Amino acid sequence: MNSPMTSLRIFEIFHSLQGESSRVGLPTVFVRLTGCPLRCGYCDTEYAFHGGSTQTLEEILREVAKYQAHYVCVTGGEPLAQKGCHDLLKALCDAGYDVSLETSGAMDISSVDPRVSVIMDIKTPGSGEESKNLWANIPYLKAKDEVKFVLADRADYDWAKQILDKYALTEKSPVLFSPVYKTLPPADLARWVLEDHLPVRMQLQLHKILWGEKPGV
Ligand code: SF4
């Protein structure tokens, strides 16, 4: 049962089109939690490391409901860095939403509510945070989860291919390859994926194409 006392530090709650994953383009309510223990070199949500406001589960659910959406994405920062995140995910599922969670891959996903689709990063050497990957998460990936590699260069791409092989990742969950924005030319990544016949989904961040780099989109 969720504790009525559960509260979380929320940076923002907004309605937009999902910009990533297989849910790209779907109208979605985003619940962005404040804070992240990592410092990826390419981070595009540094603004959410601090600030926001403390809200109870009830207040968060009321705000989410205003948008009348089917899909809710809990993101950050790193949402699982807050203890109350599990209660939030459960409460959103109980309320009937189709819930996804975007997580860095550095936090334990084993007790995430099984109704949630987990979009889990694997941090490449180019992120500067490779050492934070929690490899013990891999057995907990479900068929409806997704694994995301954000790639800065060819060395990251080659490293990611090795990880796909080592953990047979494409047999567990769909895999996403995404170029670091304004760093790795998307056409280069597209060509590599085609040349290698990789069973991965290359993706661009729709929200940046539509609205540029800013909070609330
Ligand atoms: S895990 Fe995500 S939010 Fe945290 S520093 Fe890396 S890119 Fe930014």
Side-chain angles (χ1 to χ4, degrees):
M1 204 175 85
N2 296 325
S3 162
M5 302 307 291
T6 298
S7 60
L8 296 105
R9 192 82 187 162
I10 301 295
F11 186 82
E12 58 183 351
I13 297 175
F14 61 96
H15 187 222
S16 187
L17 298 184
Q18 175 58 259
E20 303 188 62
S21 82
S22 65
R23 300 178 173 217
V24 70
L26 292 170
T28 301
V29 177
F30 292 82
V31 181
R32 189 184 305 285
L33 275 60
T34 300
C36 180
L38 278 67
R39 290 295 178 267
C40 304
Y42 52 70
C43 183
D44 54 5
T45 50
E46 290 172 313
Y47 53 82
F49 287 168
H50 309 284
S53 60
T54 301
Q55 299 183 31
T56 63
L57 274 187
E58 201 182 357
E59 289 170 327
I60 297 166
L61 288 169
R62 204 179 310 131
E63 180 70 18
V64 168
K66 280 186 194 167
Y67 298 105
Q68 300 173 27
H70 177 73
Y71 296 97
V72 177
C73 178
V74 175
T75 187
E78 168 50 79
L80 292 176
Q82 295 193 41
K83 269 203 321 243
C85 185
H86 290 288
D87 283 351
L88 172 62
L89 292 168
K90 182 176 184 311
L92 289 167
C93 290
D94 288 348
Y97 298 109
D98 190 329
V99 181
S100 60
L101 165 72
E102 295 182 337
T103 179
S104 65
M107 313 291 295
D108 182 5
I109 62 165
S110 64
S111 46
V112 170
D113 190 299
R115 295 170 291 179
V116 173
S117 296
V118 178
I119 316 298
M120 188 186 88
D121 287 2
I122 291 186
K123 296 299 180 188
T124 64
S127 73
E129 291 286 36
E130 177 194 350
S131 65
K132 304 283 175 51
N133 287 314
L134 189 60
W135 299 109
N137 275 332
I138 288 179
Y140 294 101
L141 289 168
K142 311 179 294 293
K144 70 172 184 175
D145 296 337
E146 299 178 31
V147 178
K148 183 175 82 176
F149 293 84
V150 179
L151 306 168
D153 52 25
R154 177 74 202 201
D156 268 4
Y157 174 80
D158 288 335
W159 181 89
K161 276 201 303 178
Q162 286 177 10
I163 298 297
L164 291 187
D165 277 351
K166 182 174 179 183
Y167 294 99
L169 278 180
T170 56
E171 291 164 28
K172 298 182 194 307
S173 305
V175 174
L176 310 165
F177 273 18
S178 193
V180 174
Y181 190 60
K182 293 182 177 167
T183 299
L184 173 58
D188 286 358
L189 179 55
R191 203 172 54 250
W192 300 339
V193 167
L194 286 168
E195 283 168 0
D196 289 337
H197 304 277
L198 284 190
V200 303
R201 182 191 298 264
M202 179 186 151
Q203 60 163 14
L204 301 176
Q205 294 172 298
L206 178 66
H207 50 294
K208 288 184 188 167
I209 296 168
L210 288 173
W211 291 297
E213 283 184 281
K214 56 183 181 183
V217 296

